[in-house]
Coordinates of all heavy atoms in Angstrom, one line a residue:
M1 N 94.9 85.5 104.0 CA 94.9 86.7 103.0 C 95.6 87.9 103.7 O 95.2 88.3 104.8 CB 93.4 87.0 102.7 CG 93.3 88.1 101.6 SD 93.7 87.4 100.0 CE 93.6 89.0 99.1
H2 N 96.6 88.3 103.0 CA 97.3 89.5 103.6 C 96.8 90.8 103.0 O 96.3 90.8 101.9 CB 98.8 89.3 103.3 CG 99.4 88.1 103.8 ND1 99.3 87.7 105.1 CD2 100.1 87.1 103.3 CE1 99.9 86.5 105.3 NE2 100.4 86.1 104.2
P3 N 96.9 91.9 103.7 CA 96.4 93.2 103.3 C 97.3 93.9 102.3 O 97.0 95.0 102.0 CB 96.3 94.0 104.6 CG 97.4 93.4 105.4 CD 97.5 91.9 105.1
F4 N 98.3 93.2 101.8 CA 99.2 93.9 100.8 C 99.5 92.9 99.7 O 99.2 91.7 99.8 CB 100.4 94.3 101.5 CG 101.2 93.2 102.1 CD1 102.1 92.5 101.4 CD2 101.0 92.9 103.5 CE1 102.8 91.4 102.0 CE2 101.7 91.9 104.1 CZ 102.6 91.1 103.3
H5 N 100.1 93.4 98.6 CA 100.4 92.6 97.5 C 101.9 93.0 97.1 O 102.3 94.1 97.4 CB 99.6 93.0 96.3 CG 98.1 93.1 96.6 ND1 97.3 92.0 96.8 CD2 97.3 94.1 96.8 CE1 96.1 92.4 97.0 NE2 96.1 93.7 97.0
W6 N 102.6 92.0 96.6 CA 103.9 92.3 96.1 C 103.8 92.8 94.7 O 103.0 92.3 93.9 CB 104.8 91.0 96.1 CG 105.0 90.6 97.6 CD1 104.4 89.6 98.2 CD2 105.9 91.2 98.5 NE1 104.9 89.6 99.5 CE2 105.8 90.5 99.7 CE3 106.9 92.3 98.4 CZ2 106.6 90.9 100.8 CZ3 107.6 92.6 99.5 CH2 107.5 91.9 100.7
V7 N 104.7 93.8 94.4 CA 104.7 94.4 93.0 C 106.1 94.8 92.6 O 106.8 95.5 93.4 CB 103.7 95.6 93.0 CG1 104.0 96.6 94.1 CG2 103.8 96.3 91.6
P8 N 106.5 94.3 91.5 CA 107.9 94.6 91.0 C 107.9 96.1 90.5 O 107.0 96.4 89.7 CB 108.2 93.6 89.9 CG 107.0 92.7 89.9 CD 105.9 93.3 90.6
A9 N 108.8 96.8 90.8 CA 109.0 98.2 90.3 C 110.4 98.7 90.6 O 110.9 98.5 91.6 CB 107.9 99.1 91.0
R10 N 110.9 99.5 89.6 CA 112.2 100.1 89.8 C 113.3 99.1 90.2 O 114.2 99.5 91.1 CB 112.1 101.2 90.8 CG 111.4 102.4 90.3 CD 111.5 103.6 91.2 NE 110.5 104.6 91.0 CZ 110.3 105.6 91.8 NH1 111.0 105.7 92.9 NH2 109.3 106.5 91.5
G11 N 113.3 97.9 89.8 CA 114.4 97.0 90.0 C 114.3 96.2 91.3 O 115.2 95.5 91.7
E12 N 113.2 96.4 92.1 CA 113.0 95.6 93.3 C 111.6 95.2 93.4 O 110.7 95.8 92.8 CB 113.4 96.5 94.5 CG 114.9 96.8 94.7 CD 115.1 97.5 96.0 OE1 114.5 98.6 96.2 OE2 115.9 97.1 96.8
R13 N 111.4 94.2 94.3 CA 110.0 93.8 94.6 C 109.5 94.6 95.8 O 110.1 94.4 96.9 CB 109.9 92.3 94.8 CG 110.2 91.5 93.5 CD 109.8 90.0 93.7 NE 110.4 89.5 95.0 CZ 109.6 89.0 96.0 NH1 108.3 88.9 95.8 NH2 110.2 88.5 97.0
H14 N 108.5 95.3 95.6 CA 107.9 96.1 96.7 C 106.6 95.6 97.1 O 106.0 94.7 96.4 CB 107.7 97.6 96.2 CG 109.0 98.3 95.9 ND1 109.8 98.9 96.8 CD2 109.7 98.4 94.7 CE1 110.9 99.4 96.2 NE2 110.8 99.1 94.9
A15 N 106.0 96.1 98.2 CA 104.7 95.6 98.6 C 103.8 96.9 98.6 O 104.3 98.0 98.9 CB 104.7 95.0 100.0
S16 N 102.5 96.7 98.4 CA 101.6 97.8 98.3 C 100.2 97.3 98.9 O 99.8 96.1 98.8 CB 101.4 98.3 96.9 OG 100.4 99.3 96.9
T17 N 99.5 98.2 99.5 CA 98.2 97.9 100.0 C 97.1 98.4 99.1 O 95.9 98.4 99.4 CB 98.0 98.5 101.4 OG1 98.2 99.9 101.4 CG2 98.9 97.8 102.5
D18 N 97.5 99.0 97.9 CA 96.5 99.5 97.0 C 95.7 98.3 96.5 O 96.2 97.2 96.4 CB 97.3 100.1 95.8 CG 97.9 101.4 96.1 OD1 97.9 101.8 97.3 OD2 98.5 102.1 95.2
P19 N 94.4 98.6 96.1 CA 93.5 97.6 95.6 C 94.2 97.0 94.3 O 94.7 97.8 93.5 CB 92.2 98.3 95.2 CG 92.3 99.5 96.1 CD 93.7 99.9 96.2
R20 N 94.2 95.7 94.2 CA 94.8 95.1 93.1 C 93.8 94.3 92.2 O 93.0 93.5 92.8 CB 95.9 94.1 93.5 CG 96.7 93.5 92.3 CD 97.7 92.5 92.8 NE 97.1 91.3 93.4 CZ 97.8 90.2 93.7 NH1 99.0 90.1 93.4 NH2 97.1 89.2 94.2
P21 N 93.7 94.5 90.9 CA 92.8 93.8 90.1 C 93.2 92.3 90.1 O 94.3 92.0 90.3 CB 93.0 94.4 88.7 CG 93.9 95.6 88.9 CD 94.6 95.4 90.2
Y22 N 92.2 91.5 89.8 CA 92.4 90.1 89.7 C 93.5 89.8 88.6 O 93.4 90.3 87.5 CB 91.1 89.3 89.3 CG 91.3 87.8 89.2 CD1 91.3 87.1 90.3 CD2 91.5 87.2 87.9 CE1 91.5 85.7 90.2 CE2 91.7 85.9 87.9 CZ 91.7 85.1 89.0 OH 91.9 83.7 88.9
G23 N 94.5 89.0 89.0 CA 95.5 88.7 88.0 C 96.8 89.6 88.2 O 97.8 89.4 87.6
G24 N 96.6 90.7 89.0 CA 97.8 91.5 89.3 C 97.6 92.9 88.7 O 96.7 93.2 87.9
Y25 N 98.5 93.8 89.1 CA 98.5 95.1 88.6 C 99.0 95.1 87.1 O 100.0 94.6 86.8 CB 99.5 96.0 89.4 CG 99.2 96.1 90.8 CD1 100.0 95.5 91.8 CD2 98.2 96.9 91.3 CE1 99.8 95.6 93.1 CE2 97.9 97.0 92.7 CZ 98.7 96.4 93.6 OH 98.5 96.5 94.9
P26 N 98.2 95.8 86.3 CA 98.7 95.9 84.9 C 99.9 96.7 84.8 O 100.2 97.5 85.7 CB 97.5 96.6 84.2 CG 96.3 96.4 85.1 CD 96.9 96.4 86.5
E27 N 100.7 96.5 83.8 CA 102.0 97.2 83.7 C 101.7 98.7 83.6 O 100.8 99.2 83.0 CB 102.7 96.8 82.4 CG 104.1 97.5 82.2 CD 104.9 96.8 81.2 OE1 104.4 96.0 80.4 OE2 106.1 97.0 81.2
G28 N 102.5 99.4 84.4 CA 102.4 100.9 84.4 C 101.4 101.4 85.5 O 101.3 102.6 85.6
T29 N 100.8 100.5 86.2 CA 99.8 101.0 87.2 C 100.6 101.7 88.3 O 101.7 101.3 88.8 CB 99.1 99.7 87.9 OG1 98.5 99.0 86.9 CG2 98.2 100.2 89.0
R30 N 100.1 102.9 88.7 CA 100.7 103.6 89.8 C 100.3 103.0 91.1 O 99.1 102.9 91.4 CB 100.3 105.1 89.8 CG 100.9 105.9 88.7 CD 100.2 107.2 88.6 NE 100.8 108.1 87.6 CZ 101.8 109.0 88.0 NH1 102.2 109.1 89.3 NH2 102.4 109.8 87.1
V31 N 101.3 102.6 91.9 CA 101.0 102.0 93.2 C 101.8 102.7 94.2 O 102.9 103.2 94.0 CB 101.3 100.5 93.2 CG1 100.4 99.7 92.3 CG2 102.8 100.3 92.9
T32 N 101.2 102.9 95.4 CA 101.9 103.5 96.5 C 102.5 102.3 97.3 O 101.8 101.4 97.8 CB 101.0 104.3 97.4 OG1 100.4 105.3 96.6 CG2 101.8 104.9 98.6
T33 N 103.8 102.2 97.5 CA 104.4 101.1 98.1 C 104.5 101.3 99.6 O 104.3 102.4 100.1 CB 105.8 100.9 97.5 OG1 106.6 102.1 97.8 CG2 105.8 100.7 96.0
L34 N 104.8 100.2 100.3 CA 104.9 100.3 101.8 C 106.1 101.1 102.2 O 106.3 101.5 103.3 CB 105.0 98.8 102.4 CG 103.7 98.0 102.2 CD1 103.9 96.7 103.0 CD2 102.5 98.7 102.6
C35 N 107.1 101.3 101.3 CA 108.2 102.1 101.6 C 107.9 103.6 101.2 O 108.8 104.4 101.1 CB 109.5 101.6 100.9 SG 109.4 101.4 99.1
Q36 N 106.6 103.9 101.1 CA 106.1 105.2 100.9 C 106.6 105.9 99.7 O 107.0 107.1 99.7 CB 106.5 106.1 102.1 CG 106.0 105.5 103.4 CD 104.4 105.5 103.5 OE1 103.8 106.4 103.1 NE2 103.9 104.3 103.9
Q37 N 106.6 105.2 98.5 CA 106.9 105.8 97.3 C 105.8 105.5 96.3 O 105.1 104.5 96.4 CB 108.3 105.3 96.8 CG 109.4 105.7 97.7 CD 110.7 105.3 97.1 OE1 111.1 105.9 96.1 NE2 111.4 104.4 97.7
L38 N 105.7 106.4 95.3 CA 104.7 106.1 94.2 C 105.5 105.6 93.0 O 106.5 106.2 92.5 CB 104.1 107.4 93.8 CG 102.9 107.3 92.7 CD1 101.8 106.4 93.3 CD2 102.4 108.7 92.4
M39 N 105.2 104.4 92.6 CA 105.9 103.7 91.5 C 105.0 103.1 90.5 O 103.8 103.0 90.7 CB 106.7 102.5 92.1 CG 107.7 102.9 93.2 SD 108.8 101.6 93.6 CE 109.6 102.3 95.0
R40 N 105.5 102.8 89.3 CA 104.7 102.2 88.3 C 105.1 100.7 88.3 O 106.2 100.3 88.2 CB 105.1 102.8 86.9 CG 104.5 104.2 86.8 CD 104.8 104.7 85.4 NE 104.3 106.1 85.2 CZ 103.0 106.4 85.0 NH1 102.1 105.4 84.8 NH2 102.6 107.6 84.8
A41 N 104.0 99.9 88.3 CA 104.2 98.4 88.4 C 104.8 97.9 87.1 O 104.5 98.4 86.0 CB 102.9 97.8 88.6
E42 N 105.6 96.9 87.2 CA 106.2 96.3 86.0 C 105.7 94.8 86.0 O 105.4 94.3 87.1 CB 107.7 96.4 86.1 CG 108.2 97.8 86.0 CD 109.6 98.0 85.8 OE1 110.2 97.3 85.0 OE2 110.2 98.8 86.5
V43 N 105.7 94.2 84.9 CA 105.2 92.8 84.8 C 106.2 92.0 84.0 O 107.2 92.5 83.4 CB 103.8 92.7 84.1 CG1 102.8 93.5 84.8 CG2 104.0 93.3 82.6
G44 N 106.1 90.7 84.1 CA 107.0 89.8 83.4 C 107.7 88.9 84.4 O 107.6 89.0 85.6
D45 N 108.4 87.9 83.8 CA 109.0 86.9 84.7 C 110.3 87.5 85.4 O 110.5 87.2 86.5 CB 109.4 85.7 83.8 CG 108.2 84.9 83.3 OD1 107.2 85.0 84.0 OD2 108.3 84.2 82.3
I46 N 111.0 88.3 84.6 CA 112.3 88.8 85.2 C 112.0 89.7 86.4 O 112.7 89.6 87.4 CB 113.1 89.5 84.1 CG1 113.5 88.5 83.0 CG2 114.4 90.1 84.7 CD1 114.2 87.2 83.5
P47 N 111.1 90.6 86.3 CA 110.9 91.5 87.5 C 110.5 90.7 88.7 O 110.9 91.2 89.8 CB 109.7 92.4 87.0 CG 109.9 92.5 85.5 CD 110.4 91.1 85.1
W48 N 109.9 89.6 88.6 CA 109.6 88.8 89.8 C 110.8 88.2 90.5 O 110.7 87.7 91.6 CB 108.5 87.7 89.5 CG 107.2 88.3 89.4 CD1 106.4 88.5 88.3 CD2 106.4 88.9 90.5 NE1 105.2 89.1 88.6 CE2 105.2 89.3 90.0 CE3 106.6 89.0 91.9 CZ2 104.2 89.9 90.8 CZ3 105.7 89.6 92.7 CH2 104.5 90.1 92.1
L49 N 111.9 88.2 89.7 CA 113.1 87.7 90.3 C 114.0 88.7 91.0 O 115.0 88.4 91.5 CB 114.0 87.0 89.2 CG 113.3 85.8 88.5 CD1 114.1 85.3 87.4 CD2 113.0 84.7 89.5
W50 N 113.5 90.0 90.9 CA 114.3 91.0 91.6 C 114.3 90.8 93.1 O 113.4 90.1 93.6 CB 113.7 92.4 91.2 CG 113.8 92.8 89.8 CD1 114.8 92.3 88.9 CD2 113.1 93.8 89.1 NE1 114.6 92.9 87.7 CE2 113.6 93.8 87.8 CE3 112.0 94.6 89.4 CZ2 113.0 94.7 86.8 CZ3 111.5 95.4 88.5 CH2 112.0 95.5 87.2
T51 N 115.3 91.5 93.7 CA 115.4 91.3 95.2 C 114.3 92.1 95.8 O 113.7 93.0 95.3 CB 116.7 91.8 95.7 OG1 116.9 93.1 95.2 CG2 117.8 90.9 95.1
T52 N 114.0 91.7 97.1 CA 112.9 92.3 97.8 C 113.4 93.6 98.5 O 114.4 93.7 99.1 CB 112.4 91.4 98.9 OG1 112.0 90.2 98.3 CG2 111.2 92.0 99.7
C53 N 112.5 94.7 98.3 CA 112.8 95.9 99.0 C 112.8 95.7 100.5 O 111.9 95.2 101.1 CB 111.7 96.9 98.6 SG 111.8 98.5 99.5
R54 N 113.9 96.1 101.1 CA 114.1 95.9 102.6 C 113.0 96.6 103.4 O 112.5 96.1 104.3 CB 115.5 96.3 103.1 CG 116.6 95.4 102.5 CD 117.9 96.0 102.9 NE 118.1 96.0 104.3 CZ 118.7 94.9 105.0 NH1 119.2 93.9 104.3 NH2 118.8 95.0 106.3
A55 N 112.7 97.9 103.0 CA 111.7 98.6 103.8 C 110.3 98.0 103.6 O 109.6 97.9 104.6 CB 111.7 100.1 103.3
C56 N 110.0 97.6 102.4 CA 108.7 97.0 102.2 C 108.6 95.6 103.0 O 107.6 95.3 103.5 CB 108.4 96.7 100.7 SG 107.9 98.2 99.8
N57 N 109.7 94.9 102.9 CA 109.7 93.6 103.6 C 109.5 93.8 105.1 O 108.7 93.1 105.7 CB 111.0 92.9 103.3 CG 111.0 91.4 103.7 OD1 110.0 90.8 103.5 ND2 112.1 91.0 104.3
A58 N 110.1 94.8 105.7 CA 110.0 95.0 107.1 C 108.6 95.4 107.4 O 108.0 95.0 108.4 CB 111.0 96.1 107.5
E59 N 108.0 96.3 106.6 CA 106.6 96.8 106.9 C 105.6 95.6 106.6 O 104.7 95.5 107.4 CB 106.3 97.9 105.9 CG 104.9 98.5 106.1 CD 104.7 99.2 107.5 OE1 105.7 99.3 108.2 OE2 103.6 99.5 107.8
A60 N 105.9 94.8 105.7 CA 105.0 93.6 105.4 C 105.0 92.7 106.6 O 104.0 92.2 107.0 CB 105.5 92.9 104.2
H61 N 106.2 92.5 107.2 CA 106.2 91.7 108.4 C 105.5 92.3 109.5 O 104.8 91.6 110.3 CB 107.7 91.5 108.8 CG 108.4 90.4 108.0 ND1 108.7 90.5 106.7 CD2 108.9 89.2 108.4 CE1 109.3 89.4 106.3 NE2 109.4 88.6 107.3
R62 N 105.5 93.6 109.6 CA 104.8 94.3 110.7 C 103.3 94.1 110.5 O 102.6 93.9 111.5 CB 105.2 95.8 110.7 CG 104.8 96.5 112.0 CD 105.0 98.0 111.9 NE 104.2 98.6 110.9 CZ 102.9 98.9 111.1 NH1 102.3 98.6 112.2 NH2 102.2 99.5 110.1
L63 N 102.9 94.2 109.3 CA 101.4 94.2 109.0 C 100.8 92.8 109.3 O 99.7 92.7 109.7 CB 101.2 94.4 107.5 CG 101.2 95.9 107.0 CD1 101.1 96.0 105.5 CD2 100.2 96.7 107.7
V64 N 101.6 91.7 109.1 CA 101.1 90.4 109.4 C 101.4 90.0 110.9 O 101.2 88.9 111.3 CB 101.6 89.3 108.4 CG1 101.1 89.7 107.0 CG2 103.1 89.2 108.5
G65 N 102.1 90.9 111.6 CA 102.4 90.6 113.0 C 103.6 89.7 113.2 O 103.8 89.1 114.3
A66 N 104.4 89.6 112.1 CA 105.6 88.8 112.3 C 106.8 89.7 112.6 O 106.7 90.9 112.4 CB 105.8 88.0 111.0
R67 N 107.9 89.1 112.9 CA 109.1 89.8 113.2 C 110.2 89.4 112.3 O 110.2 88.3 111.9 CB 109.5 89.7 114.7 CG 108.5 90.4 115.6 CD 108.9 90.3 117.0 NE 107.9 90.9 117.9 CZ 107.9 92.2 118.1 NH1 108.8 93.0 117.6 NH2 107.0 92.7 118.9
Ligands
ZN101 ZN1 109.6 99.2 98.8

């Protein structure tokens, strides 16, 4: 279990440590991302295909102790 969740927003997949409801963040949920921005979550199949935010990816690796 990782301390963060992936969330699509603004055209990229970001990660957030905000509490997430079962099933995922509802559309429009304000989340603070690991790249230190406040965004509104998006839902759907296409947003999950967006590329991963580099800053969030780096921070996510740091959180799990990976490099
Ligand atoms: Zn990000």
Side-chain angles (χ1 to χ4, degrees):
M1 187 71 186
H2 301 308
F4 57 87
H5 315 283
W6 292 102
V7 52
R10 291 190 196 166
E12 289 185 306
R13 291 191 312 122
H14 299 271
S16 174
T17 54
D18 288 4
R20 184 181 68 165
Y22 181 79
Y25 300 108
E27 184 165 16
T29 303
R30 286 169 172 269
V31 295
T32 302
T33 60
L34 295 188
C35 56
Q36 303 298 316
Q37 296 189 65
L38 185 63
M39 302 189 189
R40 289 184 181 278
E42 298 190 43
V43 299
D45 293 334
I46 299 302
W48 281 110
L49 299 176
W50 290 341
T51 56
T52 303
C53 169
R54 293 174 63 94
C56 281
N57 193 41
E59 181 66 8
H61 278 67
R62 195 187 66 77
L63 284 175
V64 299
R67 291 183 181 276

